[in-house]
């Protein structure tokens, strides 16, 4: 009989902790998964105590997901390689800005037979240009990587409210394995063999991709959810009302969490500029100018109508 698959969650913020609740509970009843789940936690002091100690004794991430208990088989580990060593399943759920550095740290402690899934929304702009997060993980670790994207708000998933999501996988059997690991009666998963489109939907809420995949939870439902709730919506509303910078509001409102939307808009804008495509994508450009170049939100429509060189 094959050894049970060891699971490591790379990340422990709001979304990572919500997913840890699901995985920790699911592996207890799934024979081919090991019952102990390691979760890499960026070590912080919270009220004079190490966050890993709090999680491992009180089984709650009091900083990023207060009020929701984590299963006691989820073990917080402060060293990334200690968490990832020997893992058969790696679940990546960190802000996209950190993924290159973390993958570099993991090189040498991830086995080639491991399988990964990324829940990270965003696109990375590196020296070679625009890259999907899954491609960075694949290149730096050499493992197969699926993606999970959907109309999901971490606190609603943690509260076991009904949610749907999409897993995209280049190898369908891996997608089905992750569905088994992550699905619950209230967190329903559809698997498609279209990983790149699922990821692009999550990053850009872009309707230029495969119509069938865009109609899954990773596409139009995610777009609607983003507009009505979640941290990007809350901070955007405060940004429009207060006139404070995105950076100020992130510090004031998010208790150490990171926004993905503004960073993605900056990365997309830089690529559009490199490719001389700014005037073809006025909405992306307008969002960038408002977030980072001091244009007032009230000027959104004139931004869309203006030629970018004159903005």
């Amino acid at each position: 009989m094959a050894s049970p698959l060891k699971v490591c969650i790379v990340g422990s913020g709001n979304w990572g902790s919500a997913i840890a609740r699901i995985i920790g509970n699911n592996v207890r009843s799934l024979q081919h998964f090991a019952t102990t789940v390691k979760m890499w936690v960026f070590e912080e002091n919270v009220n004079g105590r190490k966050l890993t100690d709090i999680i491992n004794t009180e089984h709650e991430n009091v900083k990023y997901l207060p009020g929701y208990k984590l299963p006691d088989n989820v073990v917080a580990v402060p060293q990334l390689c200690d968490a990832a060593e020997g893992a058969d399943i790696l679940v990546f759920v960190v802000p996209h800005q950190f993924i290159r550095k973390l993958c570099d740290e993991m090189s040498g402690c991830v086995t080639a037979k491991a399988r990964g899934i990324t829940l990270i929304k965003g696109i990375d702009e590196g020296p070679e240009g625009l890259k999907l997060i899954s491609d960075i993980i694949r290149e730096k670790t050499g493992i197969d990587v699926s993606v999970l994207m959907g109309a999901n708000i971490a606190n609603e998933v943690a509260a076991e409210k009904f949610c749907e999501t999409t897993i995209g996988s280049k190898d369908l059997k891996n997608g089905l394995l992750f569905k088994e690991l992550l699905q619950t009666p209230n967190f329903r998963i559809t698997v498609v063999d279209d990983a790149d489109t699922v990821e692009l939907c999550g990053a850009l809420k872009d309707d230029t991709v495969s119509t069938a995949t865009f109609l899954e939870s990773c596409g139009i439902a995610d777009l609607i959810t983003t507009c009505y709730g979640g941290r990007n919506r809350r901070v955007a509303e405060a940004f429009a009302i207060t006139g404070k910078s995105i950076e100020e509001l992130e510090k004031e409102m998010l208790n150490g969490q990171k926004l993905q939307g503004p960073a993605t808009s900056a990365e997309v804008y830089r690529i559009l500029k490199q490719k001389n495509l700014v005037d073809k994508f006025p909405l992306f450009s307008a969002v960038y100018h408002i977030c980072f170049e001091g244009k007032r939100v009230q000027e959104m429509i004139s931004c869309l109508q203006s030629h970018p060189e004159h903005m």
Side-chain angles (χ1 to χ4, degrees):
M1 185 177 166
S3 300
L5 300 170
K6 295 176 185 170
V7 180
C8 167
I9 303 169
V10 180
S12 58
N14 188 230
W15 189 208
S17 297
I19 286 297
R21 276 170 55 84
I22 290 176
I23 292 174
N25 284 321
N26 278 358
V27 295
R28 286 174 162 156
S29 58
L30 296 169
Q31 287 187 338
H32 47 282
F33 291 98
T35 51
T36 298
V37 174
K38 290 184 180 178
M39 178 172 73
W40 173 68
V41 174
F42 176 76
E43 192 69 279
E44 300 178 66
N45 277 320
V46 179
N47 300 324
R49 293 177 65 194
K50 289 180 178 177
L51 183 55
T52 51
D53 290 344
I54 296 170
I55 291 171
N56 288 333
T57 54
E58 295 170 24
H59 306 294
E60 183 181 344
N61 189 333
V62 294
K63 179 161 186 182
Y64 295 110
L65 193 68
Y68 295 98
K69 289 293 181 186
L70 296 170
D72 58 14
N73 58 325
V74 174
V75 178
V77 180
Q79 296 299 325
L80 182 55
C81 265
D82 291 346
E85 193 118 41
D88 302 289
I89 302 285
L90 293 158
V91 180
F92 293 88
V93 53
V94 293
H96 81 274
Q97 301 94 314
F98 305 134
I99 195 63
R100 281 179 181 272
K101 178 177 177 288
L102 293 176
C103 284
D104 286 339
E105 280 182 37
M106 291 169 72
S107 67
C109 55
V110 174
T111 62
K113 67 180 174 62
R115 283 160 280 197
I117 187 165
T118 169
L119 284 64
I120 301 167
K121 290 182 180 175
I123 294 179
D124 182 84
E125 191 208 351
E128 327 82 60
L130 204 63
K131 276 208 168 169
L132 295 173
I133 302 301
S134 61
D135 283 336
I136 293 169
I137 299 169
R138 280 185 202 102
E139 287 170 18
K140 287 185 174 287
T141 64
I143 64 173
D144 183 74
V145 183
S146 300
V147 300
L148 181 148
M149 300 284 153
N152 312 130
I153 292 171
N155 285 62
E156 292 184 357
V157 173
E160 297 178 24
K161 294 183 179 178
F162 183 81
C163 302
E164 292 182 301
T165 201
T166 312
I167 287 177
S169 202
K170 294 179 188 294
D171 183 335
L172 209 52
K173 75 174 187 297
N174 287 345
L176 294 170
L177 178 73
F178 285 117
K179 177 176 179 173
E180 189 179 9
L181 178 66
L182 292 162
Q183 182 162 266
T184 74
N186 289 317
F187 189 60
R188 307 302 296 173
I189 296 172
T190 303
V191 180
V192 298
D193 57 352
D194 190 357
D196 292 350
T197 298
V198 169
E199 189 166 2
L200 278 169
C201 281
L204 299 177
K205 321 292 190 260
D206 182 359
D207 63 355
T208 63
V209 294
S210 156
T211 305
T213 302
F214 188 66
L215 293 174
E216 295 291 347
S217 180
C218 64
I220 194 152
D222 191 14
L223 175 62
I224 293 165
T225 303
T226 298
C227 293
Y228 277 92
R231 69 186 77 153
N232 283 289
R233 157 66 194 253
R234 284 190 293 115
V235 175
E237 198 168 316
F239 177 74
I241 292 166
T242 65
K244 293 181 179 178
S245 72
I246 294 286
E247 193 177 17
E248 283 177 281
L249 291 167
E250 196 176 55
K251 283 177 185 164
E252 283 177 22
M253 297 176 68
L254 295 185
N255 190 33
Q257 294 179 64
K258 289 290 188 187
L259 286 179
Q260 301 301 293
T264 299
S265 80
E267 287 156 0
V268 170
Y269 182 77
R270 281 196 291 272
I271 296 299
L272 293 176
K273 215 165 175 187
Q274 282 172 15
K275 307 288 184 189
N276 293 318
L277 290 171
V278 168
D279 55 342
K280 301 265 194 238
F281 293 88
L283 183 57
F284 283 138
S285 302
V287 169
Y288 170 78
H289 287 298
I290 288 166
C291 283
F292 296 104
E293 295 198 339
K295 286 287 175 186
R296 294 168 66 240
V297 175
Q298 291 81 350
E299 294 176 46
M300 182 74 166
I301 300 302
S302 61
C303 280
L304 290 174
Q305 292 168 340
S306 302
H307 195 275
E309 267 69 40
H310 301 137
M311 288 173 64

